[in-house]
Amino acid sequence: MSSTFIKALLAVSAITAASGSAYAAPAAKPTVAEAERFLADAEARLNKLSIEQARGAWVGENFITDDTEAISAFFSERYLTASGELALAARRYNGLPLKPDAARKLKLLQLTLMLSDPKEREAYTAAQTAMTGAYGKAKYCPKNPDGSAGACMALGEMEKVLADSRDPNRLKEIWLGWHAQSPAYKQRYSQYVALSNKGAREMGFADTGALWRSQYDMPPEQFAAEMERLWQQVKPLYESLHTYTRYKLRQAYGPDVVPATGPIPAHLFGNMWSQTWDNIYPLLKPAGETGSYDLSKVLVERKIDAKEMTADAERFYTSLGMQKLPASFWERSLLTKPRDRDVVCHASAWPMDDKDDVRIKMCITPTAEDFSTIHHELGHVYYYLAYNKQPYLFRNGANDGFHEAIGDTVALSVTPDYLKTIGLMPKDAAADADIGQLLQRALTKVAFLPFGYSVDKWRWDVYSGKTKPADYDKHWWELREQYMGMSRPAAISEQGFDAGAKYHVAADVPYARYFLADMLQFQFHRALCREAGYTGPLHRCSVYGNPKAGAKLQQMLAMGASKPWPEALKAISGEDKIDGNALLEYFAPLKTWLDAQNAQFAAAEKH
Ligand code: X8Z
Ligand code: ZN
């Protein structure tokens, strides 16, 4: 008998003792009744520990100090210990003729990593909290031209420069300034990867990447193939957008900065990771469009604060028939960046307990981008509220892509007409016509696709050991060139850690979810618009104020993770496959237009 197995048995006895249930020490042959009691005890224990873990992490990310980091790591480790022990103990019941719910719970319980050595568990959780904290407090401190120390810049300020400046040298400086921060935790990351893999292997997975790919109700190889299938489906649309963007960037910055062929330098897309390009819409907008209506400008001019922006988003959800956010949401959320302390500003939504303590943490600025992100975060919050009656192991999204897609689905209904309805756009404002609006949307949704795909393609190779630390950047940029058509604005080095300059790599949050969400949100949007009886073009549909559509959404949200995700997808859309088709339908008029523009540009360049 291995020592880990003995530990698992001890853990099971400990649960029995702690919960005082009638559950006896495992007999030689497991029974269905024993498995059911085991699951009930496991859920009770994990539920309790998850609440402590959430509190520790909340404090850790809201007040980054050495002490809070230690507190956060302490509770994470306790959770990790329990979930690992329970995962191992759960194996005993595999193969029993359980009811479908219990069988599903047993499976979900085993989709985790298990580190049997307490020292390694401690090192693992400490590294994870430390990297999240390091990312949160990283700053770029440029020197003044005279060599003296200049003011340090936090990520938010740097993102603003990337969004607004059109000076390629300044853009490059800021881009490099941020990407110079992550090498500080590169070594820690590579050690963390080794520990994480060890934990995945103890549970029988090939590595952590395989564990991640196993979370989608299908074998991991099939999931990788699904991702590739989806990418191939939407790739032609991305290519049309990339080609058009190249022409426009060449016009703006000249041929010395933007080459006629090959990858485009990554600092020119208005975003630190070039994952969304909406900030450069003014450079790309169709001739004749005024682009004069600017939500960011309205928010600033009218001094609409973070709370009001959040309340506007809440109003969308209540218009669908959903509940008002609980008072504790408003009391406990962090909506603006504190002036006197470091926090993890990357937007997030938190289920704090098994009731309705839900919060968001976000450094809101008055921009259209943040307005949309608040809708995204509230999507998570309403999902938490909808499934909070489910048993612990089902209190989750149908898969993680569903969780990321809900708020974005709602934000697709934030159309110019809707903004007029709620008074955030003057009634007489001339919004750009269809193509302008679609282009704006494509700069967030279509531009994102290869980024969403390639982040975890890189991590899968890191976790499998195919990519070693000295090749982290080499491989990161191979993928970015291959999928996104972009290049690093300066030489690649063996010490570099550009992937670590992205929050989800530093904090070890899987990323395939956002790629899936990019497709799913259009499937959900199309389904809700149909439910609302809408028959026009998808990009003009808004389900604001339609409780019938709201009920359809709510029905799926309430299922949580209780059923395999294809059933949840079926409940809302009648489809049982994630598919790029709804996204392609939404953007079809833009694709035709982009291809015509690109043909004209190509013809003009020939002459
Ligand atoms: O991280 C997020 C959300 C929180 S789950 C703000 N997103 C991804 C990112 O910022 O990289 C939303 C879209 C992609
Ligand atoms: Zn999210």
Side-chain angles (χ1 to χ4, degrees):
M1 215 186 276
S2 77
S3 69
T4 46
F5 186 59
I6 295 172
K7 266 207 192 88
L9 293 186
L10 289 176
V12 174
S13 324
I15 307 165
T16 316
S19 62
S21 82
Y23 173 69
K29 260 204 166 149
T31 65
V32 168
E34 185 193 319
E36 283 172 356
R37 281 199 301 276
F38 165 76
L39 286 170
D41 288 341
E43 287 195 290
R45 184 173 171 205
L46 290 177
N47 181 46
K48 185 166 173 287
L49 290 171
S50 74
I51 296 171
E52 292 173 4
Q53 185 190 15
R55 289 203 183 112
W58 176 266
V59 172
E61 293 194 20
N62 272 275
F63 309 82
I64 308 177
T65 68
D66 292 344
D67 299 314
T68 58
E69 218 170 274
I71 292 169
S72 172
F74 174 82
F75 287 111
S76 279
E77 202 218 318
R78 274 167 64 106
Y79 186 87
L80 185 71
T81 305
S83 60
E85 284 172 358
L86 291 166
L88 271 190
R91 286 180 173 176
R92 171 174 161 78
Y93 308 104
N94 288 341
L96 282 177
L98 300 173
K99 290 194 198 113
D101 271 10
R104 183 163 175 79
K105 284 180 183 175
L106 198 67
K107 197 180 100 186
L108 293 174
L109 205 49
Q110 293 172 70
L111 290 173
T112 184
L113 53 83
M114 155 78 197
L115 281 165
S116 50
D117 179 343
K119 284 222 157 43
E120 288 178 344
R121 279 201 304 271
E122 205 181 310
Y124 173 85
T125 44
Q128 193 171 37
T129 15
M131 290 189 297
T132 308
Y135 182 95
K137 60 188 180 200
K139 288 179 189 72
Y140 166 53
C141 303
K143 285 207 168 71
N144 290 324
D146 66 1
S148 62
C152 293
M153 297 172 84
L155 175 59
E157 294 165 70
M158 303 176 80
E159 287 188 80
K160 204 167 153 39
V161 176
L162 276 221
D164 298 338
S165 171
R166 303 290 180 243
D167 169 357
N169 294 325
R170 175 84 177 135
L171 293 170
K172 186 167 164 181
E173 183 219 330
I174 295 295
W175 192 99
L176 291 173
W178 176 247
H179 286 80
Q181 305 312 308
S182 39
Y185 44 86
K186 177 173 178 175
Q187 204 192 353
R188 192 109 206 225
Y189 182 78
S190 63
Q191 291 162 349
Y192 174 85
V193 165
L195 284 170
S196 179
N197 275 336
K198 192 147 185 265
R201 286 178 191 135
E202 281 196 49
M203 272 313 292
F205 298 95
D207 58 70
T208 298
L211 164 61
W212 287 3
R213 293 189 299 277
S214 300
Q215 321 249 352
Y216 298 92
D217 298 302
M218 62 178 86
E221 316 75 58
Q222 196 185 333
F223 179 70
E226 276 295 279
M227 291 282 284
E228 180 63 22
R229 173 183 70 81
L230 292 168
W231 166 240
Q232 291 301 332
Q233 226 184 341
V234 293
K235 190 174 159 203
L237 176 57
Y238 177 76
E239 284 172 348
S240 297
L241 183 66
H242 183 272
T243 304
Y244 174 80
T245 303
R246 180 198 300 279
Y247 283 120
K248 289 292 190 174
L249 286 177
R250 275 167 72 79
Q251 284 171 5
Y253 291 114
D256 291 343
V257 179
V258 184
T261 55
I264 302 172
H267 60 299
L268 304 174
F269 292 84
N271 174 281
M272 189 60 84
W273 308 274
S274 1
Q275 65 185 69
T276 49
W277 312 343
D278 44 325
N279 288 322
I280 56 166
Y281 178 72
L283 300 181
L284 307 185
K285 68 177 194 292
E289 295 285 28
T290 60
S292 65
Y293 178 74
D294 181 347
L295 178 59
S296 303
K297 220 168 114 204
V298 174
L299 294 169
V300 172
E301 277 170 10
R302 296 209 206 147
K303 297 197 170 58
I304 296 180
D305 65 13
K307 198 164 173 189
E308 223 176 317
M309 285 168 70
T310 311
D312 279 334
E314 178 196 29
R315 187 141 45 109
F316 201 112
Y317 288 86
T318 53
S319 90
L320 295 176
M322 296 185 183
Q323 68 192 85
K324 281 188 80 73
L325 292 169
S328 57
F329 171 90
W330 298 103
E331 286 153 15
R332 298 171 190 173
S333 289
L334 178 108
L335 301 180
T336 47
K337 187 174 190 305
R339 258 177 299 176
D340 57 352
R341 64 176 202 262
D342 287 319
V343 302
V344 178
C345 269
H346 190 86
S348 52
W350 298 61
M352 299 297 296
D353 66 9
D354 45 3
K355 297 177 193 74
D356 68 352
D357 185 349
V358 287
R359 310 175 191 173
I360 66 173
K361 180 170 65 58
M362 183 174 170
C363 302
I364 299 176
T365 55
T367 60
E369 188 181 345
D370 278 5
F371 192 65
S372 172
T373 303
I374 299 170
H375 289 77
H376 175 96
E377 296 308 328
L378 289 195
H380 290 304
V381 164
Y382 277 99
Y383 215 159
Y384 301 144
L385 291 171
Y387 60 55
N388 73 2
K389 301 270 175 326
Q390 290 283 354
Y392 177 80
L393 286 165
F394 293 160
R395 256 181 257 146
N396 214 334
N399 68 39
D400 54 6
F402 279 59
H403 229 305
E404 297 304 335
I406 305 308
D408 284 12
T409 302
V410 165
L412 286 178
S413 277
V414 176
T415 57
D417 280 349
Y418 161 73
L419 290 171
K420 286 183 182 177
T421 312
I422 66 161
L424 274 182
M425 186 188 278
K427 287 262 186 290
D428 55 355
D432 284 357
D434 282 354
I435 291 300
Q437 283 175 41
L438 277 169
L439 179 59
Q440 234 164 339
R441 233 357 149 209
L443 295 177
T444 61
K445 305 298 177 185
V446 179
F448 180 79
L449 290 161
F451 181 77
Y453 185 31
S454 55
V455 172
D456 276 358
K457 263 197 119 40
W458 180 83
R459 266 192 302 200
W460 294 346
D461 289 341
V462 166
Y463 274 121
S464 77
K466 194 177 139 204
T467 302
K468 305 275 183 289
D471 292 331
Y472 276 1
D473 276 13
K474 181 169 162 276
H475 191 45
W476 179 250
W477 287 101
E478 275 164 6
L479 291 169
R480 285 167 77 76
E481 175 165 346
Q482 182 187 345
Y483 290 99
M484 300 171 74
M486 288 182 201
S487 58
R488 194 175 200 276
I492 292 168
S493 98
E494 287 194 4
Q495 284 74 43
F497 188 28
D498 286 347
K502 177 71 194 156
Y503 168 78
H504 302 71
V505 174
D508 199 40
V509 180
Y511 211 81
R513 56 183 65 181
Y514 301 106
F515 178 72
L516 300 178
D518 209 341
M519 321 271 165
L520 279 168
Q521 61 190 263
F522 289 93
Q523 289 180 271
F524 296 163
H525 180 65
R526 181 166 68 181
L528 296 181
C529 292
R530 281 181 186 157
E531 187 68 19
Y534 178 86
T535 51
L538 271 183
H539 64 279
R540 285 183 165 272
C541 167
S542 176
V543 296
Y544 178 69
N546 193 301
K548 194 159 171 261
K552 191 89 187 165
L553 179 60
Q554 183 70 16
Q555 179 202 354
M556 180 186 80
L557 299 184
M559 290 169 74
S562 63
K563 296 281 182 310
W565 66 259
E567 289 186 44
L569 182 54
K570 218 167 190 140
I572 188 171
S573 70
E575 301 162 280
D576 62 4
K577 266 184 145 348
I578 304 179
D579 192 82
N581 196 274
L583 180 148
L584 294 177
E585 181 185 331
Y586 185 101
F587 288 111
L590 180 71
K591 172 85 165 80
T592 308
W593 182 84
L594 285 171
D595 290 344
Q597 293 287 308
N598 291 341
Q600 270 180 30
F601 285 132
E605 284 213 337
K606 266 203 198 124
H607 294 301

